Structure formats: C-alpha cells, structure tokens
Amino acid sequence: MATADDLKFQANPDATTISIDEPVEIPKNQHSHLQEPGREEDDELLGTDDSDKTELLAGQKKSAPFWTFEYYQTFFDVDTYQVLDRIKGSVFPVPGKNFVRLYIRSNPDLYGPFWICATLVFTIAVSGNLSNFFIHLGKPTYHYVPEFRKVSIAATTIYAYAWLVPLALWGFLMWRNSKVMNIVSYSFLEIVCVYGYSLFVYIPTAILWIIPQKVVRWVLMVFSLCLSGSVLVMTFWPAVRDDNRRVAVATVATILLLHALLAVGCLAYFFDAPELDISAPIIPAPIIPAHNGTTVITKSH
C-alpha cells in the first residue's frame, strides 16, 4: 500500500521552467504570418517555398547534356491529361490563381506550345482563305485563287511572337531581379509555356472569324483577348509588383499591348484586308485612219 510520501508531487529534474516574465518566442513562419496575413497567399502564387524543391527535382531530371536527344526529350515528356488541363486553365482562368504555379511549374513542356502554335498557323491561314472566298462568292468576275503565302506569313508571325517575346521578357525579369532582390523571376521555359498555352483561345476564334461580319469578328477578338490577356496578367503581375510601381505597370501594359497587336494584326491582315476591285479588263479602242489624213478613235463598248 502506497504511503503519504509516495503520493507527494515529485519534480522532474529534466523538466524546464518558463518564467511568465520572459517573452514567448514565436516561430518565424508564424510571426511573419501574423504580421503580413496577405503575404502568404502572394508567396504561394509565386511559389517561393515548394518551388525551389520542384526546380531542384526538375534540374535533376534534366541533367543530360544539352547536345543529346535525351535533354530535349524531357521538354516533351507530358501526357494528354496534363496538356488538356493546361489548355482548360488558359481558356477558363481562375481569378487570383497563378498559371505557372498551378499548372506549369511541376513539369514545364514545349509539346503543348509547339502544337498550339502550329494549329493556330494553319487555322488562321485556312480561315483567311475561306473568309475571302465567302466575301466574293457570287461575283461573276471573281476567280478564287488559294493564297498559300498566308501560311508562311502566319507561321513567321506566330512563332516569332511565341519565342521572341518570352525571350525578351525573361531577359527583362532577370535584369530587374539583379536590381531589385525581391523580384521572383520565371524560367524561360515557363514563360514560353504561358505564352504558348495562352494562344489556344485564338484557334476557335479564328474559325469563327470566317463569319463575314466585321462587328462579329471584332467582338470575338476582344473577348478572346480578354481571356488570353488575363492569363498573362495574373501570371506576370506577381513577379513585378515588388518593383517600382511605374516599372511594374509599364511591364504589364507592354505585355498586353504586344498581345493585342498580335490579335489585331492577324484579324486585320488575314480577314479584314481591303478588297481588290476585280472588274472586266479594259479593251483599248481601235484606231481607224481617215481618208483626209486624220485619225478617228472609236469607243468600244
């Protein structure tokens, strides 16, 4: 049977005591969360925590030399479900969600952007020819001639935009990152992915541009530009918002301006080109010499 001494409280020598006068140390992540409640969501959009691990894993996967086939094969290592999910995210952007963080960063690819650009090239070229055909349909003096040069012009325009603009933007972000340490920069492959998938919405739009109504075409263009441009804004604004306010606004405005110039240029050149006045050839009037040394010009009807 236990005695009274056994029931007495015995202090644990390994236990530590905390004085109520000493301030309780708060973990750094909890302290930052209490100070800046909205910053955690911003960091999540930029991927400052888990993105480093993801990039390290991606770097381990792409460790093959760049002159080998295996190095470039990793850029096309994507399945159909991932491509469809990224296309869906570009057509139906979610407000407040970063496209790179949500779809691209785990496995950036070139398969989707390449085939989206190729499909858009042929869609614009074929739809432009069909639009020209339907506009002049029924005119007796019109003879349809396929304009194959539109394919090469569309290919040069689309692929130049999908590669040169991301290259310039990537270089600008890297330069600003050296000036302002808080700026989080995307990789060149991630920027190409964003631009490539953002062009998908123009494929069904180009098909609908066959409708021979200018008002309908421009309304479709504005609607597609809003969807596609919102993906770019929600992706690149978190990367430049910590920079100077004027620089950040000017960067986003330039991105939207170049995107709008692409849409307006394709619509104006391939679909709203000025119509050629195709009329019957003019036959010169015959000249009949007269007996008195003068010439008589008769009108041909």
Side-chain angles (χ1 to χ4, degrees), residues 165-177 185 188 191:
V165 174
L167 180 62
L169 181 58
W170 173 73
F172 175 79
L173 293 178
M174 294 294 291
W175 174 65
R176 295 307 300 176
N177 191 22
S185 182
F188 174 67
I191 298 177

Side-chain angles (χ1 to χ4, degrees), residues 13-284:
D14 298 330
T16 57
T17 59
I18 300 176
S19 175
I20 60 176
D21 296 332
E22 298 178 357
V24 180
E25 184 179 356
I26 301 176
K28 293 182 179 180
N29 55 355
Q30 183 179 358
H31 182 70
S32 61
H33 176 71
L34 294 175
Q35 284 186 344
E36 301 179 359
R39 199 65 186 176
E40 182 180 355
E41 182 180 357
D42 297 339
D43 293 339
E44 182 181 357
L45 291 178
L46 292 174
T48 56
D49 296 331
D50 297 336
S51 61
D52 296 337
K53 299 179 181 179
T54 305
E55 291 178 354
L56 289 176
L57 294 176
Q60 293 177 2
K61 290 171 58 180
K62 303 174 183 178
S63 59
F66 70 91
W67 60 82
T68 60
F69 179 76
E70 288 77 9
Y71 177 81
Y72 299 96
Q73 188 178 8
T74 57
F75 298 148
F76 296 86
D77 186 13
V78 64
D79 54 29
T80 305
Y81 296 101
Q82 285 181 317
V83 174
L84 293 178
D85 193 36
R86 294 171 182 183
I87 291 175
K88 186 188 302 182
S90 66
V91 177
F92 304 102
V94 181
K97 295 298 182 180
N98 189 290
F99 187 78
V100 172
R101 172 69 174 171
L102 197 61
Y103 300 100
I104 303 300
R105 179 147 289 179
S106 60
N107 184 23
D109 71 288
L110 293 179
Y111 178 85
F114 175 81
W115 286 111
I116 288 175
C117 292
T119 306
L120 182 59
V121 166
F122 286 99
T123 302
I124 290 178
V126 173
S127 299
N129 278 277
L130 290 177
S131 174
N132 190 27
F133 172 75
F134 288 132
I135 288 176
H136 299 90
L137 184 63
K139 296 182 180 180
T141 58
Y142 173 71
H143 300 283
Y144 173 72
V145 178
E147 299 181 72
F148 294 104
R149 61 185 179 85
K150 287 186 176 181
V151 179
S152 59
I153 295 175
T156 303
T157 304
I158 298 300
Y159 278 101
Y161 174 81
W163 283 94
L164 296 182
V165 174
L167 180 62
L169 181 58
W170 173 73
F172 175 79
L173 293 178
M174 294 294 291
W175 174 65
R176 295 307 300 176
N177 191 22
S178 63
K179 299 292 183 180
V180 183
M181 299 304 296
N182 293 330
I183 294 181
V184 179
S185 182
Y186 299 116
S187 66
F188 174 67
L189 185 58
E190 290 173 344
I191 298 177
V192 171
C193 277
V194 175
Y195 270 87
Y197 283 103
S198 67
L199 294 176
F200 178 83
V201 70
Y202 291 111
I203 296 177
T205 303
I207 297 176
L208 294 176
W209 278 345
I210 300 177
I211 302 174
Q213 296 292 333
K214 288 188 176 181
V215 177
V216 176
R217 292 175 178 176
W218 284 93
V219 170
L220 291 172
M221 188 274 294
V222 172
F223 178 74
S224 301
L225 180 60
C226 292
L227 288 179
S228 185
S230 62
V231 175
L232 299 179
V233 171
M234 289 188 295
T235 299
F236 295 108
W237 172 250
V240 299
R241 62 168 167 233
D242 290 333
D243 201 344
N244 182 274
R245 175 64 63 174
R246 293 183 179 179
V247 175
V249 173
T251 302
V252 176
T254 303
I255 292 173
L256 289 178
L257 178 61
L258 293 176
H259 206 61
L261 286 177
L262 177 69
V264 174
C266 290
L267 178 59
Y269 179 80
F270 294 99
F271 296 89
D272 288 342
E275 299 183 12
L276 299 177
D277 186 13
I278 304 175
S279 57
I282 301 176
I283 303 175

